[in-house]
Amino acid sequence: MNNISFALAKTILNGFERHISLFIEITQSAKQRFELCQWSKVQEAAKARTTFYDQRVNETFDTIKQDFFIQELNDDLWQQVKRDYIELLKNHQQPELAETFYNSVFCHLFERKYYHNAYIFVESTASRLDAQETPKIFKRYTPADKGLRETIVDIMNDHKSEIPYQDLDADVETLIRAFRRQAEKTRFKLADLTFDILNFTFYRNKGAYIIGRVLSPAGETPFIVSVLHGDKGGLTIDALLTKSESMAVVFGFARAYFFVDCLHPHALVNFLQGLIPHKTKADLYSAIGFHKQGKTQFYRDFLNHLASSEDKFELAAGIKGMVMSVFTLPSYPYVFKIIKDRFSPSKNMTKKDVKGKYRLVKLHDRVGRMADTMEYSEVAFPKNRFSETLLEELMKVAPSIIRFEDDLIIIEHLYIERRMVPLNIYLAEALKNKETEKINEAMYGYGEAIKQLISANIFPGDMLLKNFGVTRHGRVIFYDYDEITYMNEVNFRVKPEPVTEEQIYAAEPWYSVAPGDMFPEELATFALANPNYLKAFKLHHSDLLEATYWQQCQQNVADGIFKDVYPYPDQFRFCYLRGTKQAAPY
């Protein structure tokens, strides 16, 4: 029995080791892709890395089924397997990740009734990491030794790539001025300052990010330095962020995952949370590429929240969807989305199609404009925490995926994502309060969201205001994915002008409309019928009402031209600080 249990534990750990080895390999190669400006390969690598985890879980599952002939759960055996696995993890560098991998394999093998701490890691044993000496993941610099300018040059060179800077001296001068202007806590004598810089560069899309903190008698100042390829062939420092709120947007839930070569994710997440305290550990694990660990951490946090709260789940605010039903817990900043059993007649798709759309979003570059989602199966909720109205609604729209076990309601499949204020509700409230500036900013964000999505090869499909949300940072995010598609699958057309009286007064289109046809000028009619919204939209985005704009974006995608999308406002960019460009609203 013990030999079998150890062999099973070792088989699962071997699967995890293969996963982490491949994960590290593709992560380490991010530096080269950045240096060579291989932007299409950056996208391919991000997509491939996101699939690694499930591939290794499936491989391990198949090995166990084939080699150990597992048919049903043997209680004593699998409790011993968990004990053996814990023993194997005693000196492991990523025990929390290995535990999550174990959970995934186990849940593939056995049914939900065994998903408790006797068999899986509902509670982690990796807390031992908190009691151990923290690995050295950052380097400390003391500017009093060499002077401020030379210290910053050293920091930049310690993170240097094979590509030289266009003008590092000028960039460092701008960086010092930006620090003095933005960060009051750093305005001390050099002898009172210390810099802690993470030992590795964060890569994502076209950017490289150096992250650290400045310690002074006034406290801690977190910061991110953004490095890009300049227009003259070398690297350039593009921006400095010194506020946790701005840094949180860079690590936002609508961004692609970073490539960061750190073998100690637990220590890294703790360090980052010290810099960005309102980002959860779940957020940060996901942001550095360990999205499955993010799911595990989220679910533990969610169980703790349920245990410490009393409010009930209810239908989410906003217009009901034709494909998804959405509910929320008022005290928790997330929504829970399930696919309905039957869709409205206008939705010509299947459940499989919808799942495929959500999978597409998970694998695609979200450019800060599509909410990341966490997909779960067999989720148990306390039945008494559901309002009667919500229970009735769920049983009406999706009875096939809902069942009851004692005092629990089990949902077979759902998505969880950050809760936002639906854009239509946000605008209606601003209109009611005569907040013209809020309307202008929201409509600018709505148009930017569309432009950034289509430049990243995502056609949103249904662009009604209700399908976009506004984050607590005021950013407009798209979150309805059932009609998204790639740009090359759409035919952008100019709406024919009616000539005859019959055409002018026709109730239905008098011209042919094929599947995939899209008439951009109809945005003004269907999505922006309110004249206040349309006026604000046209201030910045009248080009979105013209087919030629969409056709050009479509051609850019086909030609492999990737638009620059910055995860911070223009006013933080050095080219705007130097006055060479005019900043746009965020």
Side-chain angles (χ1 to χ4, degrees), residues 78-115:
W78 280 93
Q79 290 193 39
Q80 185 59 45
V81 173
K82 184 183 176 186
R83 288 192 289 270
D84 290 342
Y85 198 77
I86 291 171
E87 188 66 24
L88 287 169
L89 295 183
K90 264 191 173 179
N91 298 308
H92 203 281
Q93 288 185 318
Q94 302 101 14
E96 77 280 30
L97 306 186
E99 288 177 353
T100 290
F101 191 86
Y102 181 98
N103 289 352
S104 297
V105 174
F106 184 95
C107 292
H108 271 56
L109 287 164
F110 303 111
E111 55 188 308
R112 198 208 65 81
K113 67 182 179 181
Y114 299 113
Y115 299 176

Side-chain angles (χ1 to χ4, degrees), residues 171-434:
D171 282 352
V172 168
E173 288 300 323
T174 306
L175 187 64
I176 291 171
R177 289 198 301 272
F179 256 117
R180 287 172 176 157
R181 181 173 54 256
Q182 295 180 30
E184 294 181 6
K185 292 180 182 179
T186 66
R187 297 170 189 166
F188 286 85
K189 294 182 296 183
L190 294 186
D192 293 327
L193 299 178
T194 302
F195 299 160
D196 291 340
I197 312 296
L198 286 168
N199 292 334
F200 20 78
T201 306
F202 289 62
Y203 294 100
R204 184 176 63 195
N205 294 336
K206 293 184 178 182
Y209 302 86
I210 298 168
I211 299 177
R213 63 192 178 195
V214 181
L215 304 178
S216 76
E220 180 178 304
T221 300
F223 68 84
I224 296 177
V225 174
S226 169
V227 177
L228 304 178
H229 283 265
D231 53 10
K232 297 178 182 177
L235 298 181
T236 182
I237 299 177
D238 187 65
L240 169 72
L241 309 178
T242 58
K243 305 295 183 190
S244 288
E245 285 287 315
S246 303
M247 293 172 67
V249 176
V250 175
F251 280 82
F253 62 86
R255 304 283 173 192
Y257 305 136
F258 284 108
F259 284 77
V260 50
D261 182 22
C262 177
L263 295 176
H264 306 282
H266 179 270
L268 176 56
V269 164
N270 283 345
F271 186 94
L272 290 172
Q273 197 171 37
L275 306 183
I276 320 172
H278 52 266
K279 277 291 174 188
T280 67
K281 289 185 176 180
D283 294 333
L284 294 170
Y285 270 112
S286 294
I288 61 174
F290 297 111
H291 58 98
K292 292 293 183 178
Q293 188 61 29
K295 277 181 58 177
T296 297
Q297 191 67 46
F298 173 87
Y299 195 65
R300 287 178 180 141
D301 294 343
F302 175 58
L303 292 177
N304 289 334
H305 181 83
L306 280 179
S308 61
S309 62
E310 297 181 350
D311 55 333
K312 294 195 173 190
F313 291 97
E314 59 187 35
L315 285 170
I319 300 170
K320 289 183 180 180
M322 292 185 281
V323 170
M324 311 287 281
S325 186
V326 186
F327 62 95
T328 190
L329 188 66
S331 63
Y332 207 54
Y334 293 87
V335 293
F336 303 78
K337 305 171 74 170
I338 63 171
I339 304 174
K340 294 181 177 181
D341 284 353
R342 291 181 299 277
F343 307 152
S344 298
S346 61
K347 297 288 186 178
N348 185 26
M349 62 183 64
T350 65
K351 280 192 174 186
K352 183 178 179 181
D353 294 332
V354 177
K355 290 179 180 179
K357 302 294 187 183
Y358 274 76
R359 181 67 173 164
L360 185 159
V361 172
K362 192 72 176 178
L363 298 178
H364 202 82
D365 176 19
R366 294 182 293 280
V367 292
R369 296 297 183 176
M370 289 192 292
D372 193 12
T373 57
M374 294 173 285
E375 185 177 8
Y376 289 88
S377 300
E378 295 291 300
V379 184
F381 296 90
K383 183 181 174 184
N384 64 2
R385 297 295 294 273
F386 279 64
S387 69
E388 285 299 319
T389 303
L390 176 58
L391 270 180
E392 289 175 11
E393 174 72 12
L394 297 184
M395 291 307 298
K396 182 173 77 173
V397 302
S400 72
I401 63 168
I402 295 172
R403 69 180 189 275
F404 299 94
E405 292 181 5
D406 300 323
D407 58 350
L408 298 175
I409 176 172
I410 313 298
I411 299 182
E412 182 183 299
H413 180 263
L414 59 76
Y415 299 96
I416 303 175
E417 66 185 37
R418 183 74 68 166
R419 185 171 64 220
M420 293 170 270
V421 180
L423 180 56
N424 59 312
I425 293 177
Y426 181 91
L427 287 167
E429 187 67 20
L431 188 61
K432 175 184 172 183
N433 295 327
K434 298 181 180 179

